[in-house]
Amino acid sequence: MSMIYDERNRLWKLDTPNTSYVLGLVDGRFLAHIYYGAKVTDTDITYILRLNEGWKVPSKQPEEYVSFMSALPMEFPVSGRGDYRESCINIKTEDGQEGLELIYDSYQIYDGKNDLKGLPSSFGDNVQTLEITLKDTIVGVEAVLSYSVFEGSDVIARSVKVKNAGDRIIHLTKLLSSCIELENEGFEVLGFYGSWAREHIMERTRLGHGATVFESIRGEEGHDGQPFIAVMDEKTDEDSGRVYAMQLVYSGSFLAKAKTDARDYARIVIGIQPSGFDWKLEAGEEFQAPEAVLTYSDKGLNKMTHSLHDFCRDHIIRSKHQYDKRPILVNSWEAAYFDFDEKKILSLAKSASDLGIDMLVLDDGWFGKHREEPKASLGDWYCNENKLKGGLEFIGSELKKMGLKFGLWFEPEMISEDSDLYRAHPEWVLHTKGREPARCRDQWVLDLSNPAVIEYLYESMAKIIDAADLAYIKWDMNRPLSDIGSDYLDKDRQGEIMHRHVIGVYELQERLISKFPELLIENCSSGGARFDLGMLYYSPQIWCSDDMDPVERLAIHEGTALLYPLSTIGSHVCKGKNDITGRKVPFKTRGISAMTGTFGYELDLTQISEEDRKAIPSQLKEYRAIQHLVQTGDYYRIASYRTNGRYDAFMNVSKDKKEAYLMYMQVLARPNDKGQRICLKGLDPDMRYEVECEDRKETYKGDVLMNVGFILPCIREDFSAVMIKISAK
Ligand code: GLA
């Protein structure tokens, strides 16, 4: 890794092990995006800007300033000065006027990296940072662009901080975190769509001259989006082709957009959603935009995934549990929903402990006066002792006797109309004047821009975590934001609410982890509606989807694991007949499906068949034997049921290539079929491996397994999964 400033060419070159990123000055003033891609060793590359093709720089041709602005590939494009492509920044002055011009001022390169105030961001020991300061002296705006590269990583972390350097108030109405410009050589765009119980479905489309936009205006990314965008060659597959990817370390509304201009330059941007955003900056105040994570691969999507997974594990997830083996849990939600008392919970716990499970998670329904259905009690974070006699302390101490850890569900950002909290503080609900806020799951959203709300939530949660000695909390968020109005903020700060909500969540999780350093947080949002790098900074795992049907999980898992390490993906064994799809899948397949992430059970262990119960100890043993690979291995996609309609397969290989496992699922059996041949990936071609598949144990050379392949048994049943272990001899 290195960073240099080349005075002769007036450019900066950032190198990672396999990539280079180059930006530089044009006409001594404007910051241009020059190159991003495979590593280059020379800096004589400014010719790529084509500065002599028709249009000239403003010092030579001031009368054609707009032509210049609308043609130059900009590193941090501004609004209002003749660049009609997507900008990264806009402001409004007290005179109601928009637009600015950011001119180069200075730079510095240093070892290390500063935290982003109030926001999650990447960290590490061996890191270098470049900061470039741009200024608009007319409206008094200063922007500091930061770029960091980490030893051994093909990721560049980029962010921007804006300061009101003048003496009058300004409103920041748009601030995106990152922009790159590439010549579109027939690119495709990769993004995500989805819904509740069908999250993170990958989609590739052609990048034409119309914009391709992935965005959220929900206050979280939502089930239907991911703060991510990639452009790539049309022919890019898992193992070959170019991919340029950008991901945001943020958990709120976002914009990711790619658009090609008439000269076939594609501009790709990512950042906080500008729609509805308006942040007031008094003289001297600063605003920090979230960090964007950039990576380039010329070895297809698997290499992009490896760069993102390693970066996430090593430089984003801060939890002390990151490299610990996470507890295997039983969760009460689909086991009992709201229908439980202390006896039922303790008998579920007893079965779990007898079987060798590590933790019981008491999900929704334990708090307030009558949380028998979703409509009541959110905000009342005290135990319902009519339902749970003896309270949480009693449950906690009984679990301890059984050798189980205790985990508990919260949904802190929400409030029910029928709650003590609402009766005491109706003004704490997000609402616009004179209108009842829109209901969703019959609940409303708390105004986290109000520090009193944050304080209330922190105090009530900390009290319970302490008293019940919780090892884990599941932090849920079961509806998006609406009715964006706050009684607490002044009228000229209402455009800050969405972002203040996100930083309020960050502040709360930061405070809880600081107070309880051992606490494991699992984030969740009606399944996977808030699965992003921002949340992973605080919690090393996130509930991936309410849909645990192993067939449905294939596409959900494929999309989630494209970006996020398997160790972050919350997955549980569901009931025999899935509550969402009604599909009946064998217990073995449900077990293997849950082993694709953090492992647990979400069914009533006291009610399952004897045969299934007997299978649990060996399922636990099987998972524990691969858990270290789930935590740290390299993940390779091999076959996608989403695209082939028949079967799915992926591998996870240890960094030293001595151990691996392969998961294979045949979704529908085909009569008169042959055993499926799978070419393995990521092994050492020269090593010999023992392959253990069901009752077969065979030895092969690595290059044979990767090129000739492995023949799976003929499987005659639908929804059948096998897990194959591969170890060096
Ligand atoms: C959400 C979560 C579920 C469960 C319920 C409880 O839907 O995704 O796992 O916790 O809330 O109400």
Side-chain angles (χ1 to χ4, degrees):
M1 114 205 156
S2 73
M3 286 186 163
I4 54 156
Y5 174 60
D6 171 6
E7 175 64 38
R8 190 169 50 86
N9 287 303
R10 302 211 71 184
L11 60 75
W12 295 264
K13 184 157 90 69
L14 282 49
D15 285 337
T16 71
N18 299 294
T19 73
S20 293
Y21 186 103
V22 184
L23 62 165
L25 293 179
V26 169
D27 214 13
R29 307 197 297 156
F30 302 97
L31 194 60
H33 180 78
I34 299 176
Y35 172 78
Y36 187 31
K39 194 166 190 164
V40 291
T41 50
D42 196 8
T43 48
D44 286 338
I45 62 167
T46 53
Y47 63 89
I48 192 71
L49 291 173
R50 299 184 165 90
L51 287 176
N52 45 9
E53 285 184 16
W55 49 279
K56 296 202 171 56
V57 297
S59 62
K60 294 204 180 116
Q61 199 180 28
E63 67 278 18
E64 285 303 340
Y65 184 92
V66 166
S67 308
F68 168 78
M69 285 301 275
S70 53
L72 188 73
M74 294 284 182
E75 181 63 18
F76 193 67
V78 297
S79 308
R81 294 284 292 166
D83 179 350
Y84 300 108
R85 299 159 292 179
E86 189 72 43
S87 67
C88 278
I89 181 168
N90 202 1
I91 57 147
K92 199 169 231 177
T93 65
E94 279 185 314
D95 305 317
Q97 294 176 345
E98 299 188 43
L100 72 173
E101 182 175 70
L102 288 172
I103 300 301
Y104 172 72
D105 179 72
S106 55
Y107 84 95
Q108 57 165 330
I109 291 175
Y110 55 87
D111 289 337
K113 177 176 187 289
N114 293 322
D115 290 341
L116 270 54
K117 199 166 165 245
L119 290 172
S121 61
S122 57
F123 56 85
D125 292 333
N126 242 328
V127 48
Q128 261 192 318
T129 300
L130 161 68
E131 283 184 5
I132 296 183
T133 302
L134 308 171
K135 283 186 177 165
D136 181 322
T137 50
I138 308 289
V139 289
V141 166
E142 199 177 289
V144 181
L145 311 185
S146 301
Y147 303 81
S148 297
V149 291
F150 296 76
E151 183 71 38
S153 168
D154 276 325
V155 160
I156 293 171
R158 176 176 174 183
S159 66
V160 52
K161 186 168 71 184
V162 169
K163 181 175 176 182
N164 178 354
D167 50 16
R168 299 175 72 198
I169 288 167
I170 55 166
H171 282 257
L172 193 58
T173 52
K174 180 178 194 182
L175 187 64
L176 303 186
S177 298
S178 181
C179 169
I180 55 171
E181 285 196 45
L182 306 164
E183 290 178 44
N184 183 349
E185 292 156 341
F187 285 150
E188 290 195 343
V189 195
L190 171 67
F192 293 87
Y193 73 96
S195 73
W196 172 75
R198 203 149 48 81
E199 295 90 338
H200 311 153
I201 309 298
M202 290 160 64
E203 187 171 59
R204 284 171 80 151
T205 48
R206 188 169 167 271
L207 175 56
H209 293 89
T212 305
V213 175
F214 301 100
E215 64 180 336
S216 160
I217 51 168
R218 296 169 183 270
E220 58 173 353
E221 62 264 15
H223 296 97
D224 57 343
Q226 262 297 311
F228 168 88
I229 188 165
V231 299
M232 56 197 178
D233 293 319
E234 194 188 343
K235 290 204 172 82
T236 290
D237 59 18
E238 295 299 348
D239 304 304
S240 67
R242 294 177 298 174
V243 189
Y244 304 83
M246 291 207 283
Q247 199 180 358
L248 202 61
V249 188
Y250 190 57
S251 314
S253 301
F254 71 94
L255 172 72
K257 177 173 172 183
K259 187 175 188 303
T260 311
D261 69 13
R263 294 162 68 242
D264 297 330
Y265 275 95
R267 179 174 283 183
I268 304 125
V269 296
I270 197 164
I272 294 181
Q273 169 64 259
S275 170
F277 174 82
D278 182 321
W279 195 278
K280 179 177 170 186
L281 282 177
E282 309 257 6
E285 277 183 355
E286 293 178 342
F287 182 88
Q288 175 65 60
E291 189 162 85
V293 162
L294 281 60
T295 195
Y296 167 77
S297 155
D298 53 14
K299 294 192 178 57
L301 288 166
N302 269 326
K303 161 71 178 136
M304 175 199 81
T305 292
H306 293 166
S307 297
L308 293 178
H309 282 196
D310 285 344
F311 190 76
C312 179
R313 286 188 289 220
D314 297 342
H315 302 296
I316 294 283
I317 301 176
R318 215 184 25 154
S319 166
K320 71 176 291 291
H321 298 289
Q322 158 65 338
Y323 292 109
D324 296 351
K325 290 199 172 170
R326 310 281 169 68
I328 295 175
L329 60 88
V330 60
N331 179 298
S332 68
W333 180 238
E334 290 207 4
Y337 292 111
F338 294 108
D339 180 19
F340 58 80
D341 57 14
E342 76 287 354
K343 292 191 199 73
K344 195 162 181 178
I345 292 303
L346 290 177
S347 78
L348 180 64
K350 176 77 176 58
S351 301
S353 129
D354 290 347
L355 290 164
I357 290 167
D358 304 318
M359 177 161 77
L360 177 121
V361 175
L362 179 52
D363 208 281
D364 198 350
W366 59 268
F367 53 91
K369 290 209 175 74
H370 38 86
R371 180 80 176 162
E372 308 308 336
E373 48 180 339
K375 67 184 290 160
S377 300
L378 287 169
D380 295 348
W381 300 113
Y382 55 82
C383 183
N384 180 347
E385 296 210 16
N386 288 326
K387 201 166 174 178
L388 292 169
K389 304 258 164 12
L392 296 173
E393 288 87 335
F394 168 67
I395 303 271
S397 73
E398 290 300 299
L399 295 185
K400 217 167 251 166
K401 286 185 210 155
M402 297 180 206
L404 288 177
K405 293 181 174 167
F406 188 12
L408 197 62
W409 181 95
F410 288 90
E411 195 180 354
E413 298 149 74
M414 301 295 156
I415 183 165
S416 305
E417 184 179 18
D418 181 2
S419 65
D420 296 346
L421 186 66
Y422 182 71
R423 286 181 279 274
H425 288 290
E427 78 285 6
W428 281 8
V429 178
L430 282 184
H431 67 282
T432 54
K433 288 212 178 333
R435 199 191 297 282
E436 184 188 274
R439 292 167 193 266
C440 182
R441 220 189 188 213
D442 215 341
Q443 64 195 52
W444 292 325
V445 184
L446 283 167
D447 176 8
L448 297 198
S449 59
N450 183 345
V453 175
I454 301 268
E455 210 45 48
Y456 167 79
L457 292 174
Y458 172 74
E459 289 300 335
S460 33
M461 291 179 78
K463 199 167 147 198
I464 290 168
I465 295 167
D466 195 28
D469 198 12
L470 299 179
Y472 159 113
I473 62 169
K474 177 172 168 191
W475 179 302
D476 208 341
M477 182 214 193
N478 273 321
R479 62 155 295 174
L481 275 53
S482 70
D483 302 272
I484 309 302
S486 158
D487 277 2
Y488 173 77
L489 291 175
D490 290 341
K491 64 173 190 262
D492 58 353
R493 288 196 180 273
Q494 298 289 311
E496 300 177 9
I497 295 171
M498 284 268 197
H499 182 62
R500 284 190 187 272
H501 186 93
V502 180
I503 53 181
V505 171
Y506 293 155
E507 182 190 331
L508 271 167
Q509 298 203 1
E510 178 75 46
R511 284 177 70 182
L512 289 173
I513 295 167
S514 312
K515 168 87 177 153
F516 304 102
E518 298 298 323
L519 185 70
L520 170 62
I521 301 182
E522 175 158 344
N523 273 290
C524 170
S525 175
S526 278
R530 201 163 58 183
F531 204 125
D532 57 67
L533 293 177
M535 299 319 295
L536 286 172
Y537 182 76
Y538 304 97
S539 73
Q541 57 195 61
I542 299 181
W543 184 227
C544 174
S545 176
D546 282 348
D547 196 339
M548 292 172 270
D549 172 341
V551 176
E552 290 298 308
R553 270 281 170 134
L554 294 174
I556 299 170
H557 187 267
E558 177 193 35
T560 312
L562 183 83
L563 310 184
Y564 304 103
L566 304 197
S567 62
T568 66
I569 302 178
S571 0
H572 300 164
V573 178
C574 68
K575 292 177 189 166
K577 181 171 176 223
N578 185 273
D579 276 354
I580 291 172
T581 61
R583 190 174 282 128
K584 291 181 186 162
V585 171
F587 193 65
K588 179 178 166 202
T589 300
R590 283 180 275 141
I592 291 180
S593 167
M595 290 183 206
T596 57
T598 68
F599 189 65
Y601 293 86
E602 196 158 330
L603 72 183
D604 189 346
L605 296 169
T606 65
Q607 299 296 319
I608 59 175
S609 72
E610 207 37 43
E611 192 189 342
D612 291 353
R613 197 194 328 278
K614 280 200 183 124
I616 290 181
S618 50
Q619 234 168 27
L620 296 175
K621 201 167 152 212
E622 206 171 4
Y623 182 68
R624 287 191 174 114
I626 60 159
Q627 198 170 9
H628 61 292
L629 297 175
V630 173
Q631 302 276 114
T632 57
D634 285 335
Y635 161 81
Y636 290 86
R637 281 172 299 278
I638 294 191
S640 159
Y641 166 63
R642 183 180 56 85
T643 55
N644 69 27
R646 288 182 50 216
Y647 65 95
D648 204 274
F650 73 82
M651 283 182 72
N652 214 346
V653 185
S654 65
K655 295 274 176 202
D656 64 7
K657 299 187 180 294
K658 288 190 175 151
E659 278 181 280
Y661 65 89
L662 180 142
M663 300 245 186
Y664 172 83
M665 184 176 356
Q666 170 177 284
V667 179
L668 292 178
R670 221 164 49 157
N672 199 14
D673 205 5
K674 57 187 188 319
Q676 183 64 47
R677 179 172 74 110
I678 297 278
C679 287
L680 274 53
K681 290 185 183 176
L683 301 178
D684 183 331
D686 298 323
M687 277 191 201
R688 286 196 82 76
Y689 291 95
E690 182 174 89
V691 181
E692 236 184 296
C693 171
E694 311 276 87
D695 47 8
R696 282 161 62 189
K697 246 188 203 176
E698 290 150 17
T699 309
Y700 300 89
K701 191 91 186 294
D703 58 355
V704 170
L705 284 170
M706 293 194 287
N707 297 309
V708 183
F710 179 76
I711 307 279
L712 284 150
C714 271
I715 305 173
R716 299 200 197 286
E717 278 161 29
D718 295 345
F719 317 136
S720 279
V722 279
M723 180 152 67
I724 298 165
K725 276 179 225 109
I726 301 132
S727 30
K729 286 287 284 174

